[in-house]
Amino acid sequence: MLKVAVVGASGYSGAELVRLLANHPEVKVVAATSETFAGKKLREVYPGLGSAGDILLTTLAQTELTPRKVEAVFLALPHGEAQTVAPGLLATGLKVIDLSGDFRFADTAIYEKWYQRKHTAKDWAGKAVYGFPELFRSRLAGAQLVANPGCYVTGAVLALFPLLKAGWAAPDSLIVDAKSGWTGAGRKAQTENMFTQAAENVSPYKMAGIHQHIPEMEQALAQATGQAVRLTFSPQMVPARRGILTTAYARLLQPRTSETLAALVQETYREEPFLTVLGSGASWPELVAAVGSNQCVVKAAVDANTGLAVVVSAIDNLIKGAAGMAIQNLNLMFGLPETSGLPGAGFAL
Amino acid sequence: MLKVAVVGASGYSGAELVRLLANHPEVKVVAATSETFAGKKLREVYPGLGSAGDILLTTLAQTELTPRKVEAVFLALPHGEAQTVAPGLLATGLKVIDLSGDFRFADTAIYEKWYQRKHTAKDWAGKAVYGFPELFRSRLAGAQLVANPGCYVTGAVLALFPLLKAGWAAPDSLIVDAKSGWTGAGRKAQTENMFTQAAENVSPYKMAGIHQHIPEMEQALAQATGQAVRLTFSPQMVPARRGILTTAYARLLQPRTSETLAALVQETYREEPFLTVLGSGASWPELVAAVGSNQCVVKAAVDANTGLAVVVSAIDNLIKGAAGMAIQNLNLMFGLPETSGLPGAGFAL
Amino acid sequence: MLKVAVVGASGYSGAELVRLLANHPEVKVVAATSETFAGKKLREVYPGLGSAGDILLTTLAQTELTPRKVEAVFLALPHGEAQTVAPGLLATGLKVIDLSGDFRFADTAIYEKWYQRKHTAKDWAGKAVYGFPELFRSRLAGAQLVANPGCYVTGAVLALFPLLKAGWAAPDSLIVDAKSGWTGAGRKAQTENMFTQAAENVSPYKMAGIHQHIPEMEQALAQATGQAVRLTFSPQMVPARRGILTTAYARLLQPRTSETLAALVQETYREEPFLTVLGSGASWPELVAAVGSNQCVVKAAVDANTGLAVVVSAIDNLIKGAAGMAIQNLNLMFGLPETSGLPGAGFAL
Amino acid sequence: MLKVAVVGASGYSGAELVRLLANHPEVKVVAATSETFAGKKLREVYPGLGSAGDILLTTLAQTELTPRKVEAVFLALPHGEAQTVAPGLLATGLKVIDLSGDFRFADTAIYEKWYQRKHTAKDWAGKAVYGFPELFRSRLAGAQLVANPGCYVTGAVLALFPLLKAGWAAPDSLIVDAKSGWTGAGRKAQTENMFTQAAENVSPYKMAGIHQHIPEMEQALAQATGQAVRLTFSPQMVPARRGILTTAYARLLQPRTSETLAALVQETYREEPFLTVLGSGASWPELVAAVGSNQCVVKAAVDANTGLAVVVSAIDNLIKGAAGMAIQNLNLMFGLPETSGLPGAGFAL
């Protein structure tokens, strides 16, 4: 059994890691940290976790994270904190999978501009592997530091990648209109994420070119398809707990039919274990089709009125958009079967 | 007091008409029909209506709708039924406000194509006035038959009209990504609109150029701005009861700043009683900002990353998107104050 | 026009007062205070308020609250704060309606025990009138200080009062099982009231005899019916924004039928403008039947299996359970029509 | 691998059986029937099922259900249909687990009275074993026909059983106030279960002694504790998809403390794998603590104001209240580990 630790286990992504890893046949969580809830079991914070939450939470300071105890560490910390914790762990030789934005940019100037904070571990940022298996699977085997993608990025990139890879879409014409459940905003109570404010509501925020996931989407698509990419991104909160439904638009360089577009996406993802590509006759993906599993459900079509490509993707933001993707990366880093421990099915509802 | 009737009063738009008109100081609802619930009071169908629902529902056949009894009739019937009912009423000289799609196209070939049904009252379709005060206010005084706009159309047109009117946006570059609450799907129980299927879900449908509101959006914007318009429309259901949040995108023909764009929208709607235009420093409109009132809340900005215009509008689909707009039209038809009986405020939450 | 002030206008009850009073034909809100949002308009805090939210918020310190400026003051402050503010206002001769628990007990020892804080205005507690028109209407005319009831208390008392008044129910057998929407928990963000924690959840809290509304329910029913009352109270949060549905149980001292019980309730409330009593053949009250209006909807029946009395009441916690009741009290204090400015109808949905 | 069939696999309980059994290490679903969706894969009906929904649905008539093909059959059919299907299956020697109410009463007169329909398989009703492991575990080994309990029954019985078993509670004093998510109402679209009617609402129904689960609760508790039991039951729908939160009340025959009551419940369920009993210092169970798992979470206390026992239980109505309980029964019938294939943890949220 591969022994791992989860740092920041009481946040939504961290708790989801612990929950999913409880079903991983080849991994065991031997430590889980939380500064706020140290001394409690995780199930006291999340009663629904039941037996999967029996692990005792400890502070990071009181937790020995060395190769003697664990082989890999997941960092599920707020942006800015991972860069202070990771270098020490990496120096001991441990493998680290970071779920924050801290190591997603080799060029830390991009990070410093969009996250509006200093980067204090620039060397490691340069060495990190961007953990997006569908785009860069081969880089993961043996990687020491993996930067897990942002949740919005995962939904947007999986929607647009096939069209850009094939050279069908104008890379400066992209629009990503995303609808996210509220776990995406984290577990810190704020007026906006109160039930009374969020129920029966839809809330756009960080619109019109200022959300920090924009450069990450552009970088991932550019590196994977070899062309400069420019996109408009609209993040919007909807009254659901989990999931991101992404509606992406792209101008096609030549006229295409919905059938050929659907076939392109199906072909692109033919070998992918976590992509469910719907045909042109199917209904559009709905959010619940992805919630609870590591699947991304995608459908593409050509707009009959305008000829634009319209692609919808659905993911569970805490699984394919965070903890599930991180486990998929772990599997690849350690040579385990890529799908090991990852749910292929969610709830029926 | 102006005496009016509501035909189809047990549907969501019809009940909303009765509810709003109970507060109209110059109008009295003297008849309300429902084939399903005839013999009951409306409050038995909608207990929340309280005293506003005391009216007895009757079948259309047993209801005398003539100038002797009423001066105007609202038709809140399914598409296809209004065209069978309206001609008889109009022949008696009554004024009619139709909330269905039946009389929105002078060219009934467009109707027949997009609604996939025959039109049997083509003469009246040619004479109907399209009831969109912000675009065509002057046409309403004295009109006999008014076609009330579709709910999605109202949100989309109010978002895009200022940019097109000013000639700032490329009229073939428009994208309308709309998120609608479930009252928009009507009161007929179906698997899709069950709580168990709709809660915690987001559901795209009739995507990629097939929704019947597309030609209406294009027609309204074209007639109001004097240019051919072509748009991509994505209707998507979110887990809310009321409201449509519309995110619209347009390519600007020349570079603009967010400030000038916001100023353009403010200037365009300066005299409008039901437009709340937010400045470039304000938060983006959220759905609850419009729910419960006849207001449309709008904000426009230029995407800092791509230069695209991004416009968000929020309306209550049953008020500004249906019953409220119909009352606004009634007021204009009969020379009443345009805002009479219409709520300028919703719930705080 | 009666000039009033709302102290604590940015909380849910305070904002609801401002919203409702905007439609009151004989009252004008001339000041609204908020320590947190002073300097903003109320509509900046609650965009949905629209035109009803145009009032500028000021701090209490900078607001002149004297008979020169206003005639009555609503206090919508947290428990414990009202008792520090009220005495100064009362000393100037102003009339005060307090929505907190501070002045609901003439015997402040009860307050100090259940609210677990000192009482610093015991004289005024002894002089306050408990503002529950359906029980003590005659006390309100001319009262200077009125203590508005707790939200749970209103739903429970209106359900149980007729049975106890008639001497039909055993006064030591009462159980009140209440389901409340989340506005009942106020506007302070906490982990429990986050959307992610509250959606799809039901949360009992302060169960088994510790909620501070228990002595108030017992006191109100005892004073109104002349017998000692003892009850079990279960407060439980449900995923709704507004409303309290109360299911009350009582042992009947003699066997009764559902018909006679329903008739008793109807007779008791025959003259009440804000009680909708359903007959034994009607469906049970649902929450939405009361949301948006000042109505309490009630139905009583005898359990066919056990002979127990079962009474369900539905109220809007922010209206009949807080701001609406306060305005009803204001109307009675100043000799205005009791129903003035109060919504008799809510949304259809 | 034990080969089983699910009859009625497109309903909520049937689909949940297929979903859960996909993770059962010793069971394989070899047939799944649906009259409505025959010819489709289950994942076309429930896209969220992903790989767990790959099974092809067939009509019952075209499905061979004999010992040659399967060893056990789950019947997830509406009340009244199971009794027409079960006898033929049982005659071939197959084992049957019925999730409907058809075989829960040896005395079919009770069934006929409360379900208001004829019983046509009375012999089998007399031979069926009531499948409630926590009460009657020893009866299950080798049973041929097992009647799975009703969802409300499971929550109520697990809350009240310890108090009655110990002889602490007056068996004629019981009240069960249950709050259910909407999957409990099945998958048939009706006005009441539309999102627009159910969201932001709480709906009591079949109150005051007429719900068909009452005699089943009374029978189960009476048989398990050896005394006549009489209870008041209040079923109420809340805006959640899954789960039942049950608040039960009982008069204690002698004064008890919360600590001794909690200890009694803990002792009673000490060996039970699917009961999570909370101590007197813990928070009350919330619905999400049980959703997604086969656990029932229980807490009991004595009301400090009245001395009444108050017990709250939370279950997932589709798992512990239906499909999970059925699998637990299957495990016991076939001598498999009782917990095999059953989720001990749900979602964190």
Side-chain angles (χ1 to χ4, degrees):
Chain A
M1 296 289 272
L2 185 69
K3 285 178 287 181
V4 305
V6 176
V7 172
S10 63
Y12 287 146
S13 294
E16 190 71 359
L17 276 165
V18 174
R19 183 180 79 85
L20 292 173
L21 290 170
N23 287 320
H24 197 302
E26 299 166 270
V27 176
K28 185 170 168 53
V29 178
V30 297
T33 81
S34 165
E35 304 310 302
T36 311
F37 297 102
K40 295 194 173 180
K41 291 189 167 188
L42 186 57
R43 71 185 300 168
E44 295 178 73
V45 187
Y46 296 99
L49 281 182
S51 52
D54 275 334
I55 197 163
L56 186 72
L57 298 169
T58 49
T59 65
L60 181 57
Q62 70 196 183
T63 310
E64 184 183 341
L65 295 177
T66 65
R68 215 169 58 101
K69 294 281 186 179
V70 297
E71 290 165 85
V73 177
F74 292 95
L75 299 181
L77 296 168
H79 304 307
E81 293 188 22
Q83 52 177 280
T84 71
V85 173
L89 302 174
L90 291 160
T92 71
L94 281 174
K95 301 200 175 191
V96 170
I97 300 169
D98 176 34
L99 281 78
S100 84
D102 284 6
F103 297 102
R104 293 179 191 152
F105 301 94
D107 177 356
T108 52
I110 300 176
Y111 175 88
E112 295 190 334
K113 172 186 168 200
W114 288 84
Y115 284 76
Q116 298 190 340
R117 61 175 74 237
K118 283 278 159 206
H119 203 293
T120 61
K122 298 190 178 185
D123 282 1
W124 279 111
K127 293 178 201 157
V129 169
Y130 187 63
F132 206 126
E134 290 80 1
L135 271 58
F136 311 113
R137 182 171 282 109
S138 63
R139 301 181 189 174
L140 284 157
Q144 196 190 356
L145 171 59
V146 167
N148 212 55
C151 54
Y152 282 125
V153 179
T154 300
V157 165
L158 289 172
L160 289 169
F161 171 63
L163 285 72
L164 289 165
K165 181 71 177 174
W168 290 16
D172 62 349
S173 73
L174 311 176
I175 297 175
V176 172
D177 190 288
K179 297 91 182 167
S180 174
W182 278 97
T183 49
R187 197 177 183 269
K188 189 173 166 209
Q190 292 175 293
T191 303
E192 305 84 83
N193 62 23
M194 291 174 68
F195 182 86
T196 43
Q197 306 288 128
E200 301 277 312
N201 204 0
V202 177
S203 314
Y205 70 105
K206 288 196 188 178
M207 300 277 287
I210 62 170
H211 193 285
Q212 70 276 8
H213 282 175
I214 292 170
E216 187 185 339
M217 293 176 191
E218 292 180 347
Q219 172 180 277
L221 287 168
Q223 290 184 0
T225 70
Q227 62 200 311
V229 165
R230 189 55 62 93
L231 57 78
T232 300
F233 174 50
S234 297
Q236 292 152 104
M237 304 308 292
V238 293
R241 293 177 302 172
R242 281 171 177 255
I244 297 174
L245 191 112
T246 303
T247 311
Y249 304 90
R251 187 164 52 81
L252 291 167
L253 295 168
Q254 292 180 28
R256 308 283 175 179
T257 66
S258 286
E259 288 69 25
T260 55
L261 197 63
L264 172 71
V265 180
Q266 276 170 324
E267 180 57 26
T268 308
Y269 291 138
R270 194 159 41 96
E271 306 284 338
E272 288 300 335
F274 292 116
L275 268 290
T276 300
V277 182
L278 304 179
S280 54
S283 298
W284 289 84
E286 51 184 347
L287 196 60
V288 296
V291 168
S293 85
N294 198 49
Q295 291 291 316
C296 175
V297 185
V298 188
K299 175 175 167 168
V302 175
D303 189 277
N305 194 49
T306 60
L308 223 60
V310 180
V311 193
V312 172
S313 73
I315 61 167
D316 186 315
N317 60 310
L318 293 182
I319 306 181
K320 186 61 178 171
M325 187 71 122
I327 294 169
Q328 193 176 348
N329 283 325
L330 178 86
N331 290 340
L332 290 164
M333 289 162 77
F334 284 88
L336 303 174
E338 185 169 347
T339 60
S340 197
L342 288 166
F347 275 177
L349 72 154
Chain B
M1 296 289 272
L2 186 70
K3 285 178 285 180
V4 305
V6 176
V7 172
S10 63
Y12 286 146
S13 295
E16 190 71 358
L17 276 166
V18 174
R19 182 180 80 84
L20 292 173
L21 289 170
N23 287 319
H24 197 303
E26 298 168 90
V27 177
K28 184 171 169 50
V29 178
V30 297
T33 81
S34 165
E35 304 309 303
T36 311
F37 296 102
K40 294 194 173 179
K41 289 187 168 189
L42 185 57
R43 71 185 299 167
E44 295 178 75
V45 186
Y46 296 99
L49 281 183
S51 53
D54 275 335
I55 196 163
L56 185 74
L57 299 168
T58 50
T59 65
L60 181 56
Q62 69 197 184
T63 311
E64 184 183 340
L65 296 177
T66 65
R68 216 168 56 101
K69 295 281 186 179
V70 297
E71 290 164 86
V73 177
F74 293 95
L75 299 181
L77 296 169
H79 304 308
E81 292 188 22
Q83 51 177 278
T84 71
V85 172
L89 301 174
L90 292 161
T92 72
L94 282 173
K95 300 200 174 192
V96 171
I97 300 170
D98 176 34
L99 281 78
S100 84
D102 285 7
F103 296 102
R104 294 179 191 153
F105 300 94
D107 178 355
T108 53
I110 300 176
Y111 176 88
E112 294 190 336
K113 173 186 168 200
W114 287 85
Y115 284 77
Q116 299 190 339
R117 61 174 73 235
K118 282 280 159 203
H119 204 294
T120 60
K122 299 190 178 184
D123 281 2
W124 279 111
K127 293 177 204 157
V129 169
Y130 187 63
F132 206 126
E134 289 81 3
L135 271 59
F136 311 112
R137 182 171 282 110
S138 63
R139 301 182 190 173
L140 284 156
Q144 194 189 358
L145 170 59
V146 168
N148 212 55
C151 54
Y152 282 124
V153 179
T154 300
V157 164
L158 289 172
L160 290 168
F161 170 65
L163 285 72
L164 290 165
K165 181 72 178 174
W168 289 17
D172 62 348
S173 74
L174 312 176
I175 296 176
V176 172
D177 190 289
K179 299 87 181 169
S180 175
W182 278 97
T183 48
R187 198 176 182 268
K188 191 176 165 205
Q190 291 176 295
T191 303
E192 304 85 82
N193 63 22
M194 290 173 68
F195 182 86
T196 43
Q197 307 287 128
E200 301 276 312
N201 203 0
V202 178
S203 314
Y205 70 104
K206 288 198 187 177
M207 300 276 286
I210 62 171
H211 194 284
Q212 69 277 6
H213 283 174
I214 293 170
E216 187 185 339
M217 292 176 191
E218 293 180 347
Q219 172 181 278
L221 288 168
Q223 291 184 1
T225 70
Q227 62 199 312
V229 165
R230 189 54 63 93
L231 58 78
T232 300
F233 175 50
S234 297
Q236 292 152 103
M237 304 307 293
V238 293
R241 293 177 302 171
R242 280 173 179 254
I244 297 175
L245 191 111
T246 303
T247 312
Y249 304 91
R251 186 164 53 80
L252 290 167
L253 294 169
Q254 293 182 27
R256 308 281 176 181
T257 66
S258 286
E259 289 68 26
T260 55
L261 198 61
L264 172 71
V265 179
Q266 277 171 322
E267 179 58 26
T268 309
Y269 292 138
R270 193 159 41 95
E271 305 285 339
E272 289 298 336
F274 293 116
L275 268 290
T276 300
V277 183
L278 304 178
S280 55
S283 298
W284 289 84
E286 53 185 345
L287 196 60
V288 295
V291 168
S293 85
N294 197 49
Q295 289 292 315
C296 175
V297 185
V298 188
K299 175 177 167 168
V302 175
D303 190 276
N305 194 49
T306 60
L308 223 60
V310 180
V311 193
V312 172
S313 72
I315 61 167
D316 186 315
N317 61 309
L318 294 182
I319 305 181
K320 186 61 179 170
M325 187 72 122
I327 294 168
Q328 194 177 346
N329 283 323
L330 178 85
N331 289 341
L332 291 165
M333 290 162 77
F334 284 88
L336 303 174
E338 184 169 349
T339 60
S340 196
L342 288 166
F347 275 177
L349 71 156
Chain C
M1 295 290 272
L2 186 69
K3 286 178 284 180
V4 305
V6 176
V7 173
S10 63
Y12 287 147
S13 294
E16 190 72 358
L17 276 166
V18 175
R19 183 181 79 85
L20 293 173
L21 290 169
N23 286 319
H24 197 302
E26 298 166 89
V27 177
K28 183 169 169 55
V29 179
V30 296
T33 81
S34 164
E35 305 310 301
T36 312
F37 298 102
K40 294 193 174 181
K41 291 189 168 186
L42 186 57
R43 71 185 300 169
E44 294 178 74
V45 186
Y46 297 99
L49 281 182
S51 52
D54 275 334
I55 196 162
L56 185 73
L57 299 168
T58 49
T59 66
L60 181 56
Q62 71 197 183
T63 311
E64 183 182 342
L65 295 178
T66 66
R68 219 167 55 101
K69 294 281 186 180
V70 297
E71 291 165 85
V73 178
F74 293 94
L75 299 181
L77 296 168
H79 304 307
E81 293 189 21
Q83 51 176 281
T84 71
V85 172
L89 301 174
L90 291 161
T92 71
L94 281 173
K95 301 201 175 193
V96 171
I97 300 169
D98 176 32
L99 282 76
S100 84
D102 284 6
F103 297 101
R104 293 179 192 154
F105 301 94
D107 178 356
T108 52
I110 300 176
Y111 176 88
E112 294 191 336
K113 174 186 166 199
W114 287 86
Y115 285 78
Q116 300 190 340
R117 62 174 72 235
K118 283 281 159 202
H119 203 293
T120 59
K122 297 190 180 185
D123 282 0
W124 279 111
K127 293 178 203 155
V129 169
Y130 187 63
F132 205 125
E134 289 81 2
L135 271 58
F136 312 111
R137 183 171 282 108
S138 63
R139 300 181 189 173
L140 285 156
Q144 195 191 356
L145 170 59
V146 168
N148 211 55
C151 54
Y152 282 125
V153 179
T154 300
V157 164
L158 289 173
L160 289 169
F161 171 63
L163 287 71
L164 290 165
K165 180 73 177 174
W168 290 17
D172 62 348
S173 75
L174 311 176
I175 297 175
V176 172
D177 190 288
K179 298 90 182 165
S180 175
W182 278 96
T183 48
R187 196 176 184 271
K188 190 175 166 209
Q190 291 174 293
T191 304
E192 305 85 80
N193 63 23
M194 291 173 68
F195 182 87
T196 43
Q197 307 288 127
E200 302 275 311
N201 204 359
V202 178
S203 314
Y205 71 104
K206 289 198 188 176
M207 300 277 287
I210 61 170
H211 194 283
Q212 69 277 7
H213 282 175
I214 293 171
E216 187 185 338
M217 292 176 192
E218 292 181 347
Q219 171 180 280
L221 288 168
Q223 291 184 1
T225 70
Q227 61 198 313
V229 165
R230 190 54 62 92
L231 57 77
T232 300
F233 175 50
S234 297
Q236 293 151 103
M237 305 307 292
V238 294
R241 294 177 300 170
R242 282 173 176 252
I244 297 175
L245 191 112
T246 303
T247 312
Y249 304 91
R251 187 164 52 80
L252 291 168
L253 294 169
Q254 293 182 27
R256 307 283 175 180
T257 65
S258 286
E259 287 70 24
T260 55
L261 198 61
L264 173 70
V265 180
Q266 276 170 324
E267 180 56 26
T268 308
Y269 292 137
R270 194 158 40 96
E271 306 285 338
E272 289 299 336
F274 292 117
L275 268 290
T276 300
V277 183
L278 304 179
S280 54
S283 299
W284 289 85
E286 52 184 347
L287 197 59
V288 295
V291 168
S293 85
N294 197 49
Q295 291 290 315
C296 175
V297 186
V298 188
K299 176 177 167 169
V302 176
D303 189 277
N305 194 48
T306 61
L308 223 61
V310 180
V311 194
V312 172
S313 73
I315 60 168
D316 186 313
N317 61 309
L318 293 182
I319 306 181
K320 185 62 179 169
M325 187 71 122
I327 293 169
Q328 195 177 346
N329 283 323
L330 178 85
N331 290 340
L332 290 164
M333 290 162 77
F334 284 89
L336 303 174
E338 185 169 347
T339 60
S340 197
L342 288 166
F347 274 178
L349 71 154
Chain D
M1 296 292 271
L2 185 70
K3 287 178 286 182
V4 305
V6 176
V7 173
S10 62
Y12 287 146
S13 295
E16 190 71 358
L17 276 165
V18 174
R19 182 180 79 86
L20 292 173
L21 290 169
N23 286 320
H24 197 302
E26 299 167 88
V27 176
K28 185 172 167 53
V29 179
V30 296
T33 81
S34 164
E35 305 310 303
T36 311
F37 297 102
K40 294 194 174 180
K41 291 188 167 188
L42 185 58
R43 73 186 299 169
E44 294 178 76
V45 185
Y46 296 100
L49 282 181
S51 53
D54 275 335
I55 197 163
L56 186 73
L57 299 168
T58 50
T59 66
L60 181 56
Q62 70 196 183
T63 311
E64 184 183 341
L65 296 177
T66 66
R68 219 168 55 102
K69 294 282 186 179
V70 296
E71 288 164 87
V73 177
F74 292 95
L75 299 181
L77 296 168
H79 304 307
E81 292 188 22
Q83 51 175 281
T84 70
V85 172
L89 302 173
L90 291 161
T92 71
L94 281 173
K95 299 200 175 193
V96 170
I97 300 170
D98 176 33
L99 281 78
S100 84
D102 284 7
F103 297 102
R104 292 178 192 155
F105 301 95
D107 178 355
T108 51
I110 300 175
Y111 176 87
E112 295 190 334
K113 173 186 166 198
W114 288 84
Y115 285 78
Q116 299 191 338
R117 61 174 74 234
K118 283 282 157 201
H119 203 294
T120 60
K122 298 190 179 185
D123 281 1
W124 279 111
K127 292 178 203 155
V129 169
Y130 187 62
F132 205 126
E134 289 81 3
L135 271 58
F136 311 113
R137 182 172 281 108
S138 63
R139 301 180 189 174
L140 283 157
Q144 195 189 355
L145 170 59
V146 167
N148 211 57
C151 54
Y152 283 124
V153 179
T154 300
V157 164
L158 288 172
L160 289 169
F161 170 65
L163 285 73
L164 290 166
K165 182 72 177 174
W168 289 16
D172 62 348
S173 73
L174 312 175
I175 297 175
V176 172
D177 191 289
K179 297 89 181 166
S180 175
W182 277 97
T183 49
R187 197 177 183 270
K188 189 174 165 208
Q190 291 175 295
T191 303
E192 304 86 83
N193 62 23
M194 290 173 68
F195 182 87
T196 43
Q197 308 286 129
E200 300 277 312
N201 203 358
V202 177
S203 314
Y205 72 103
K206 288 196 188 179
M207 301 276 286
I210 62 170
H211 194 284
Q212 69 277 8
H213 283 175
I214 292 171
E216 187 185 340
M217 292 177 192
E218 292 181 346
Q219 172 181 277
L221 288 169
Q223 290 185 2
T225 71
Q227 61 198 313
V229 165
R230 189 55 63 92
L231 58 76
T232 301
F233 174 50
S234 297
Q236 292 152 105
M237 305 307 292
V238 293
R241 292 177 303 172
R242 282 172 176 252
I244 297 175
L245 190 112
T246 303
T247 312
Y249 304 91
R251 186 164 53 81
L252 291 167
L253 294 169
Q254 293 181 27
R256 309 280 176 183
T257 66
S258 286
E259 288 69 25
T260 55
L261 198 62
L264 173 71
V265 180
Q266 276 170 324
E267 179 57 26
T268 308
Y269 292 137
R270 192 158 42 95
E271 306 285 338
E272 290 300 335
F274 292 117
L275 269 289
T276 300
V277 182
L278 304 179
S280 54
S283 298
W284 289 84
E286 52 185 345
L287 196 60
V288 296
V291 168
S293 86
N294 198 49
Q295 291 291 315
C296 175
V297 185
V298 188
K299 175 176 168 168
V302 176
D303 188 278
N305 193 50
T306 60
L308 223 62
V310 180
V311 194
V312 172
S313 72
I315 61 168
D316 186 315
N317 61 309
L318 294 182
I319 306 181
K320 187 60 179 170
M325 187 71 122
I327 294 169
Q328 195 177 345
N329 283 323
L330 178 86
N331 290 340
L332 290 165
M333 290 162 76
F334 285 88
L336 303 173
E338 185 169 346
T339 60
S340 196
L342 288 166
F347 275 177
L349 70 157

